[in-house]
Amino acid sequence: MSLENPRTHYTSQIDPETIGDEKVTVCGWVHEVRDLGGICFVVVRDREGRAQITLVKKKIDKEIFDAARKLVRESVVAVTGSAKPEGKAPNGYEIIPEEIVVLNEAESPLPMDTTGKVDAELDTRLDSRFIDLRREKTTAIFKIRHEVLRAVRNFLSDEGFIETSSPKVVATATEGGTSLFPITYFDREAFLNQSPQLFKQILMSGGLDRVFEIGPIFRAEEHDTRRHLNEATSIDIEASFVDHFEVMEILENMIAYVYEQVIENASASLENLGIELEVPKTPFMKVPYSEAIDIVNAKGEEMIEWGGDLGTVAEHTIGEHVFEETGESHYFITDWPTEIKPFYAMPYENDPLISKSFDMMHRTMELSSGAQRVHLHDMLKERIESQGLNPDGFEFYLRAFKYGMPPHSGWGVGCERLVMTMLGVENIRDTVLFPRDRRRLSP
Ligand code: ATP
Ligand code: MN
């Protein structure tokens, strides 16, 4: 199929100073029709912005004038005409139309407002995501998310990482069976994978040396919070012959690079959201776990004994403390008790009660977990058993450690939390096109 009037420009691409008499065609949605009797303004919106179409009754064909007045909001149109400078219009120009083709008329009333004048509830917006995306502030988040992922890919590729993909349908749990979605796989039970962890480690035995994956993770957690999804996007790396310090450095440098790139490539979207982004300063502060609990205990709101996990309130206390000290939002909590980290975290040789593990935190929440891994077969098997898991289920994984597994380290960052903390978005669901949570399975 060929359209009669193919698009020549996005609305943002027309420069009235240089366009001259050339004909332009913009394609988009009817954002607004203002009929003032003698003059009619139609605002057409596309992904990149808006264009004003101006029709003066005395100067234009009666047929096109009458058609323009009757345009239904959010219908899809192609407008062909000539662009003229107009200081009061969006982007500094208006289009005097020769032809307005209605490609598809919208029904009315609309399921929700697209002008940004009326604030809709998150649930309403998610139910009608197709129309929510027609609001500039919504699109801005996803343009920025795109820049985040592009920057991640560029950064890691330049650092020598190979992009890989691991299966999402698996036979065993990564870290125990509590938070998995079971599915039917022919006549067997299988699960949706909660993390690429075991597979990216196997790739280290395969000699791929440095790998990354950007893909979905599934967590059957029942909690309903602002920062948990049941299907999230994880940015994962694994690297051979390096320790946890080296992958922490890769992580902080990646975060700084991602911020830089978003500032450089998504300035219009940031402006749209009213955000002035600052690049986090590297290196990020490293707070050992034992000091982190001291900070919490000194505040006196709750007492954490050595070996206890850090809850939301504790994370906030530590985050505020670091922010007061450094003025920075990002930091690491390092050297966690071995017992509360997964079996694959490497204990320190001289003090096996603590592990070469870390969480990378934002002031408001955890962004990433990582560690140097246990690369020794017998130690790994022992660690699996001591966490109450059955090594039989991990045979496919353990085998890779018997025939030449290098020492290695890695981490995983939640893409949505990265976008969320960067933009100060209140609810993680705002950073996913079609979020999956406890209640939501459609659209
Ligand atoms: P939390 O304790 O905050 O639930 P976690 O420690 O269970 O997170 P990890 O298994 O360490 O999460 O996963 C690594 C990263 O993946 C997290 O730091 C987070 O950024 C992201 N992530 C994990 N689970 C979720 C989820 N349910 N929703 C969104 N992002 C998630
Ligand atoms: Mn974690």
Side-chain angles (χ1 to χ4, degrees), residues 80-137:
T80 304
S82 49
K84 301 259 155 61
E86 170 50 61
K88 279 178 268 160
N91 294 309
Y93 69 86
E94 60 184 2
I95 295 175
I96 313 301
E98 279 168 19
E99 194 181 14
I100 300 178
V101 183
V102 177
L103 297 168
N104 210 341
E105 189 168 283
E107 286 184 22
S108 53
L110 297 163
M112 55 174 277
D113 171 69
T114 56
T115 61
K117 284 172 197 152
V118 189
D119 262 343
E121 293 286 330
L122 180 59
D123 263 329
T124 311
R125 293 176 31 227
L126 293 175
D127 285 340
S128 301
R129 200 48 138 168
F130 62 93
I131 204 145
D132 178 44
L133 281 163
R134 298 185 199 175
R135 299 169 357 129
E136 284 170 349
K137 282 196 184 341

Side-chain angles (χ1 to χ4, degrees), residues 213-286:
E213 171 164 348
I214 300 172
I217 55 171
F218 300 92
R219 310 251 166 143
E221 294 148 347
E222 301 222 355
H223 46 216
D224 190 4
T225 77
R226 290 186 298 105
R227 63 180 206 286
H228 286 96
L229 294 159
N230 292 111
E231 177 177 358
T233 309
S234 182
I235 302 162
D236 266 89
I237 74 156
E238 205 64 32
S240 289
F241 306 106
V242 300
D243 63 12
H244 55 308
F245 292 111
E246 196 150 330
V247 290
M248 278 192 262
E249 196 177 323
I250 293 171
L251 180 52
E252 63 198 2
N253 287 338
M254 183 183 89
I255 298 294
Y257 179 78
V258 165
Y259 272 68
E260 276 166 28
Q261 289 297 300
V262 167
I263 292 169
E264 195 166 314
N265 301 324
S267 56
S269 298
L270 287 173
E271 204 171 305
N272 222 310
L273 295 169
I275 292 173
E276 228 174 286
L277 214 54
E278 265 183 57
V279 180
K281 284 197 193 67
T282 56
F284 297 168
M285 190 176 184
K286 291 191 180 75

Side-chain angles (χ1 to χ4, degrees), residues 28 318 320:
I318 304 160
E320 289 311 313

Side-chain angles (χ1 to χ4, degrees), residues 28-36 40-45 50-55 68-75 77 90 100 110 113-115 117:
W29 287 257
V30 175
H31 185 71
E32 197 181 356
V33 181
R34 256 180 303 144
D35 181 5
L36 306 178
C40 177
F41 299 107
V42 177
V43 177
V44 172
R45 188 190 66 244
R50 295 174 193 181
Q52 176 179 301
I53 319 299
T54 306
L55 302 97
R69 295 167 61 178
K70 290 195 199 111
L71 285 172
V72 178
R73 270 184 56 209
E74 295 305 318
S75 298
V77 293
I100 300 178
L110 297 163
D113 171 69
T114 56
T115 61
K117 284 172 197 152

Side-chain angles (χ1 to χ4, degrees), residues 5-66:
N5 298 318
R7 171 166 61 206
T8 60
H9 297 77
Y10 278 125
T11 54
S12 60
Q13 289 172 326
I14 297 171
D15 179 355
E17 306 301 324
T18 58
I19 199 87
D21 283 337
E22 202 192 323
K23 292 276 167 298
V24 297
T25 299
V26 295
C27 295
W29 287 257
V30 175
H31 185 71
E32 197 181 356
V33 181
R34 256 180 303 144
D35 181 5
L36 306 178
I39 187 164
C40 177
F41 299 107
V42 177
V43 177
V44 172
R45 188 190 66 244
D46 63 16
R47 194 186 71 189
E48 301 301 322
R50 295 174 193 181
Q52 176 179 301
I53 319 299
T54 306
L55 302 97
V56 179
K57 194 173 185 177
K58 281 189 201 147
K59 293 191 192 163
I60 208 156
D61 220 53
K62 183 172 164 20
E63 211 174 309
I64 187 169
F65 187 81
D66 288 341

Side-chain angles (χ1 to χ4, degrees), residues 355-393:
S355 56
K356 300 181 180 181
S357 57
F358 57 87
D359 278 5
M360 196 270 285
M361 310 292 298
H362 181 268
R363 196 174 164 185
T364 51
M365 73 190 78
E366 176 192 318
L367 286 184
S368 172
S369 286
Q372 182 177 329
R373 320 298 192 185
V374 176
H375 64 286
L376 307 169
H377 175 273
D378 294 354
M379 185 196 272
L380 186 58
K381 192 171 173 191
E382 187 273 311
R383 293 285 307 126
I384 289 174
E385 280 165 348
S386 80
Q387 298 222 341
L389 298 165
N390 183 356
D392 292 350

Side-chain angles (χ1 to χ4, degrees), residues 142-168:
F142 293 100
K143 286 180 177 171
I144 291 169
R145 182 183 158 119
H146 162 69
E147 290 301 337
V148 166
L149 287 175
R150 174 155 76 165
V152 164
R153 280 203 167 83
N154 287 346
F155 179 87
L156 292 174
S157 303
D158 288 351
E159 289 284 323
F161 288 81
I162 294 176
E163 183 162 4
T164 56
S165 306
S166 64
K168 301 308 151 205

